[in-house]
Amino acid sequence: MSDKLLRLKKNVILRNMCAETSFLSDQLIQPIFISEKVSDKKSIPGLGDNFVFNIQDALKQIENDLKNDCRNFLLFLIPSEKKELDFNLNFQSEAISQVKNFFKDDIFLWADVCLCSMTTHGHCCVFDKSQNIDIKKSLSSLSKTAVTYADAGIDGIAPSDMMDGRTNKIRLALDENNYDLIPIMSYSSKFASNFYGPFRDAADSTPSFGDRKHYQLDYRNKNDALRASTRCAEEGADLLMVKPGLYSLDLIQPINNLTGLMVGAYQVSGEYAGINLASENNLLELNKGLFESWHVMKRAGAQFIITYGARKSKELGFSVK
Ligand code: PBG
């Protein structure tokens, strides 16, 4: 008997018939950066056709993306005023309500909820006088931000700060304000990674001192990462996420098995930039490289993927249906 894996690979129709993973474009989420500080759209080194927009230009970009079947977005909102506490959320509210009023339910709009683009020091939390994390004030600032975004019309909340207990606090705050149908997509297993560089440049959120290792996960530890996601599930997260996605493939299926919740993967800025810059140097073809990386995350069990290339889904042959 000849045992041949080649047999099912020789014909394209047969290969497609046997493909285990495929995509709907709605399973790809496109990040959009909107800043109070930019007048003309600003490029983001490494991220190709991603820019930091003012509100008007963001509307144009989303309109264009819709033509390409890309209609699931994650907003990063960057106000010009930085504070230590009592954050001013006016710009963020304005941006969300303009986007939602313009596109209504033609899009699904998530917002990243974190403090790092609002704090003077660029960390994701509020500090007390001795520079320790003030967990109470951090959580109340985060839940206030989530409720304000909900008031402005956001469809879903994505907390990315990694403070203990944030999912619970945000869920309670949303429920108390009659936003019990707004889902929480928690950045549940998020590592202190070296691959967030292009993002921090865009989001103006590089810490002015130290790093994020005292609140984000240590990439050497698997158990901690599983526990972080399990806890988010217990606290009421609707969807979980690993980040950086390609460097967390080993966690996706175990988290799903432990929690029964769907797990997404965030192909972060540094991971995307690696593929993008290789393509700019003719070392690979961008679309083919992205296509492969997304399928690999799907194969590892990811239900959805946040990627700076989501707007290419139609070009790559995914359908919304
Ligand atoms: C905010 C946040 C970060 C990212 C998403 N939300 C940066 C960080 O935690 O330092 C990174 C996303 C990317 O690199 O694409 N806390």
Side-chain angles (χ1 to χ4, degrees):
M1 186 191 72
S2 59
D3 176 16
K4 287 215 160 111
L5 290 172
L6 289 179
R7 218 173 280 132
L8 295 180
K9 291 190 181 61
K10 66 178 186 184
N11 175 285
V12 62
I13 300 169
L14 195 55
R15 284 200 301 274
N16 286 342
M17 183 185 101
C18 297
E20 291 175 44
T21 50
S22 61
F23 276 92
L24 296 174
S25 20
D26 288 345
Q27 291 166 343
L28 296 170
I29 304 175
Q30 174 70 51
I32 300 273
F33 296 92
I34 310 183
S35 168
E36 191 172 11
K37 286 190 289 189
V38 304
S39 37
D40 292 331
K41 66 177 187 180
K42 199 175 121 213
S43 60
I44 306 170
L47 294 192
D49 61 1
N50 287 270
F51 297 87
V52 183
F53 295 110
N54 60 33
I55 299 176
Q56 283 314 310
D57 287 341
L59 296 177
K60 283 184 215 147
Q61 174 70 63
I62 294 172
E63 197 161 31
N64 225 20
D65 290 343
L66 272 175
K67 291 183 198 141
N68 291 313
D69 290 349
C70 170
R71 51 184 196 170
N72 197 354
F73 298 93
L74 173 59
L75 282 187
F76 292 96
L77 301 163
I78 309 142
S80 48
E81 188 186 16
K82 310 281 179 186
K83 296 186 79 178
E84 298 202 350
L85 189 64
D86 299 323
F87 304 100
N88 179 348
L89 298 164
N90 292 344
F91 171 74
Q92 291 92 310
S93 291
E94 180 62 26
I96 291 168
S97 59
Q98 283 210 35
V99 173
K100 266 315 272 187
N101 285 337
F102 199 86
F103 296 104
K104 308 265 178 343
D105 285 339
D106 289 345
I107 63 170
F108 196 90
L109 196 63
W110 299 94
D112 182 275
V113 166
C114 193
L115 304 180
C116 60
S117 293
M118 306 192 238
T119 49
T120 46
H121 42 70
H123 278 285
C124 307
C125 53
V126 174
F127 289 117
D128 64 17
K129 285 192 190 71
S130 13
Q131 296 283 36
N132 292 316
I133 294 177
D134 187 328
I135 193 73
K136 233 175 138 193
K137 287 187 180 150
S138 300
L139 293 184
S140 67
S141 303
L142 288 162
S143 40
K144 189 173 165 216
T145 304
V147 172
T148 306
Y149 289 6
D151 289 339
I154 206 70
D155 294 312
I157 292 290
S160 71
D161 54 282
M162 293 307 279
M163 295 299 121
D164 281 321
R166 78 252 158 87
T167 303
N168 174 253
K169 268 279 174 339
I170 291 174
R171 183 71 271 159
L172 287 173
L174 289 172
D175 289 357
E176 270 165 26
N177 288 277
N178 291 324
Y179 295 122
D180 43 305
L181 287 181
I182 291 190
I184 296 180
M185 173 173 73
S186 198
Y187 289 68
S188 53
S189 292
K190 171 174 174 177
F191 290 95
S193 168
N194 294 293
F195 291 85
Y196 304 152
F199 171 94
R200 289 185 190 163
D201 190 31
D204 194 13
S205 70
T206 309
S208 60
F209 61 88
D211 52 37
R212 304 207 202 286
K213 288 185 181 157
H214 54 300
Y215 45 94
Q216 297 181 346
L217 297 167
D218 185 328
Y219 55 73
R220 294 172 295 187
N221 297 347
K222 186 167 183 170
N223 284 322
D224 232 19
L226 296 177
R227 187 161 160 239
S229 271
T230 309
R231 205 182 49 182
C232 274
E234 288 163 1
E235 288 183 19
D238 301 283
L239 295 167
L240 303 175
M241 191 204 302
V242 296
K243 176 184 168 199
L246 285 170
Y247 287 100
S248 306
L249 294 181
D250 57 319
L251 296 167
I252 300 175
Q253 198 59 58
I255 292 173
N256 173 254
N257 293 345
L258 280 169
T259 64
L261 293 185
M262 290 176 183
V263 184
Y266 193 148
Q267 178 172 47
V268 299
S269 56
E271 293 176 317
Y272 187 87
I275 297 173
N276 185 44
L277 293 173
S279 85
E280 283 177 19
N281 286 284
N282 298 318
L283 298 173
L284 58 76
E285 277 181 48
L286 178 60
N287 284 0
K288 290 185 179 171
L290 290 175
F291 200 68
E292 178 174 344
S293 66
W294 298 343
H295 278 86
V296 168
M297 290 184 271
K298 261 265 161 156
R299 193 185 69 213
Q303 175 66 32
F304 57 93
I305 292 171
I306 302 169
T307 168
Y308 296 93
R311 60 172 58 101
K312 295 174 181 295
S313 59
K314 190 173 173 188
E315 201 180 311
L316 290 173
F318 304 141
S319 146
V320 282
K321 294 194 194 75

